[in-house]
């Protein structure tokens, strides 16, 4: 990588890191372009050059956080040869990611209905697609063997991720009675039962 490309990559990473820090410190209301520029020391022109807009920066941060979450799930799932073991590992990976990376998980869930998402949805979907495909590829032999129910990929994804995502959303919101360690013990087996064939 040339020095110029290293500098560009460094600026992009600094802006993304700073944006996450600003979000962690100031929350959604304090997550502004002026706060990120001030904190990072990067000019507004540089931010626009790399991301097109502050919404573009927010979308890039969302993509980075979401791909880290999906990578954790795929990495937990893929070594498992047993269908039940893999499903349980994937659900625990989601909940474990939320526990270990609360700010990133918070940004993912806070962004679910953010104004920036629709305009950047194609790019976000393109970034997520290889990771979701890896997970669906893992399910295929288990579906063929009659171990996992045969569903369209989007519905398979909902069953695999849905319970962990909703639990995490409520935990982040401070809902009473939600404990991620308890959820990690109790939910994975129930998710497995929802995906088990027969």
């Amino acid at each position: 990588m040339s020095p110029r490309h290293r500098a560009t990559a460094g600026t992009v990473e600094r802006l993304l890191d700073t944006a996450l820090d600003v979000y962690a410190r100031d929350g959604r209301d304090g997550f502004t372009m002026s706060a990120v520029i001030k904190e990072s020391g990067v000019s507004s022109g540089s931010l626009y050059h790399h991301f097109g807009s502050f919404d573009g920066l927010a979308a890039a941060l969302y993509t980075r956080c979401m791909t880290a979450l999906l990578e954790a799930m795929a990495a937990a799932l893929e070594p498992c040869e047993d269908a039940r073991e893999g499903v349980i590992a994937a659900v625990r990976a989601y909940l474990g990611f939320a526990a270990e990376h609360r700010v990133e998980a918070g940004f993912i869930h806070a962004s679910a209905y953010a104004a920036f998402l629709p305009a950047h949805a194609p790019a976000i979907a393109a970034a997520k697609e290889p990771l979701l495909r890896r997970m669906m590829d893992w399910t295929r032999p288990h579906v063929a063997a009659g171990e996992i129910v045969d569903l369209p990929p989007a519905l398979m994804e909902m069953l695999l991720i849905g319970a962990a995502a909703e639990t995490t959303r409520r935990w982040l919101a401070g809902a009473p009675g939600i404990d991620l360690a308890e959820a990690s013990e109790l939910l994975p087996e129930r998710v497995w039962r929802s995906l088990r064939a027969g």
Side-chain angles (χ1 to χ4, degrees):
M1 184 182 287
S2 72
R4 181 178 177 184
H5 286 130
R6 275 196 298 273
T8 295
T11 300
V12 167
E13 289 306 306
R14 183 167 31 156
L15 281 164
L16 290 170
D17 290 342
T18 303
L20 189 63
D21 290 344
V22 167
Y23 177 80
R25 185 189 66 213
D26 301 333
R28 192 185 316 190
D29 292 340
F31 182 65
T32 64
M33 185 168 80
S34 60
V36 171
I37 288 169
K38 180 180 178 183
E39 192 78 17
S40 68
V42 174
S43 70
S44 59
S46 186
L47 186 150
Y48 276 96
H49 170 72
H50 291 297
F51 298 103
S53 65
F54 187 66
D55 280 357
L57 171 65
L61 181 58
Y62 176 85
T63 300
R64 186 170 82 165
C65 294
M66 180 59 81
T67 54
L69 167 60
L70 294 176
E71 178 61 49
M73 291 185 72
L77 186 72
E78 288 173 330
C80 301
E81 295 182 8
D82 178 76
R84 177 180 172 275
E85 178 190 348
V87 169
I88 287 172
V91 176
R92 286 190 174 146
Y94 191 117
L95 296 168
F97 179 91
E100 294 170 26
H101 304 281
R102 184 179 184 128
V103 176
E104 289 88 339
F107 192 79
I108 290 168
H109 285 270
S111 299
Y113 301 102
F116 69 79
L117 277 186
H120 297 275
I124 292 168
K128 290 168 57 176
E129 194 275 332
L131 293 160
L132 293 171
R133 187 174 64 244
R134 279 170 57 188
M135 288 191 272
M136 293 306 105
D137 286 349
W138 178 89
T139 68
R140 280 196 188 90
H142 299 290
V143 170
E147 299 163 344
I148 290 179
V149 66
D150 189 6
L151 291 172
L155 296 181
M156 184 88 70
E157 178 192 339
M158 289 304 102
L159 286 178
L160 183 61
I161 293 175
E166 180 61 15
T167 300
T168 297
R169 186 190 69 76
R170 294 187 187 195
W171 174 73
L172 289 164
I178 303 292
D179 178 80
L180 289 190
E182 180 182 51
S184 190
E185 288 301 312
L186 299 178
L187 280 182
E189 181 67 32
R190 276 72 185 177
V191 174
W192 160 243
R193 289 177 192 170
S194 73
L195 283 165
R196 183 178 60 194

